Each structure stands twice: as C-alpha cells, then as structure tokens.
Amino acid sequence: MSPEPRRDPIIEQLWRMAELLAVPRPWTLAVFIERAEAMTGKRIRLLPVAGLRTEAAPCGLVLERAAEIVIACDAAASDADVGHIVRHEVGHLLLNQIGGAPDRSMDEAVETLFPGFDRDEVLHVLGPQGRGETVRRCTAPPR
C-alpha cells in the first residue's frame, strides 16, 4: 500500500480554518456571517455601496474596526456575488492579509466606499498609523 501523497501545508491550513468556521451546507449567507462573527468576536455589517465594481463585475472591500467588521459590496450585486464577496473578504481576515486602498484619490474613495463615515477616521484606518485596524480590497468574483 503506497503512502498518501503529502498535501501542501497552506492548503491544509485553509481546510482547518474552513472546518473551524463550519461553512454551512447548504450555503446560507446569514448563517455564515453568524459563524464568522462568533469566530472573530466582532459584529459583521454589510454595507451596500453604489458603483463598487470593476469593469467586469461587482467587488467589495473589508474594513476591520475595533468593534466591528464592515464589508462593502456593490449595491447592485446579485445574492450570489454578495456571498462570494463576503466569503472572499472573510478569507482575508482569517489569513490576516493586508491589502491596499482603491486606486482613486483618498477623498473620493472615502466618499464612495464609506458614505456617512467620518473622513478622518477612515483615512486614519487606511493610513500606516491604523492602530491595528486594517482595510483590504477584494478582487472581483470570477465569471
């Protein structure tokens, strides 16, 4: 009997994280968010933002704050796309990946992505002195 092939340690880590999160089967976004909230210890708030998309598809962004996690999604995204975006952004959180801000001026990005948020607070979080709060930008879901 031949030994089982060795799996990539990164893939193994991803499987362990997925098991910890207990991804619901069948898939339901509400249950996934509840489980992610329990795992992170923070409320997750979905923020629909008009026009948050690439040329090809809607996309999203995650902002991890001290007391909550905000996941911004294109307001016109389908339920399937929102589910993909949320899973993608939670993956960034689980892997502790830090990305960059959108390729726009900061003022325009703040106004577009976080309407109603205090500009200085958002820019503080986006900047290098973010006191542990980070922003991550997602890629568009595959088509």
Side-chain angles (χ1 to χ4, degrees):
M1 183 179 229
S2 63
E4 197 172 308
R6 297 188 79 204
R7 293 181 68 169
D8 184 318
I10 293 173
I11 300 298
E12 290 296 330
Q13 178 187 9
L14 291 172
W15 278 109
R16 284 191 300 274
M17 283 187 212
E19 289 169 3
L20 285 172
L21 190 54
V23 175
R25 305 234 193 279
W27 166 259
T28 60
L29 180 60
V31 172
F32 181 77
I33 288 175
E34 287 173 10
R35 291 176 181 175
E37 287 173 331
M39 194 172 185
T40 63
K42 296 181 182 184
R43 175 179 172 253
I44 296 177
R45 179 164 55 105
L46 296 182
L47 177 67
V49 177
L52 184 57
R53 57 184 304 110
T54 65
E55 289 180 17
C59 67
L61 181 136
V62 62
L63 176 67
E64 184 177 5
R65 305 174 75 198
E68 71 176 351
I69 296 167
V70 179
I71 298 177
C73 297
D74 185 8
S78 69
D79 289 346
D81 284 338
V82 170
H84 174 91
I85 290 165
V86 169
R87 290 187 303 269
H88 180 99
E89 298 304 338
V90 168
H92 282 302
L93 294 169
L94 292 174
L95 294 171
N96 198 28
Q97 294 176 337
I98 299 172
D103 298 327
R104 306 179 195 185
S105 76
M106 281 297 170
D107 288 341
E108 182 185 354
V110 168
E111 180 61 32
T112 301
L113 299 174
F114 300 102
F117 279 77
D118 178 75
R119 176 195 172 278
D120 292 333
E121 177 189 6
V122 173
L123 290 178
H124 177 76
V125 170
L126 292 174
Q129 308 332 103
R131 284 188 270 155
E133 296 179 346
T134 57
V135 65
R136 298 167 184 92
R137 184 180 183 193
C138 87
T139 57
R143 292 285 179 199

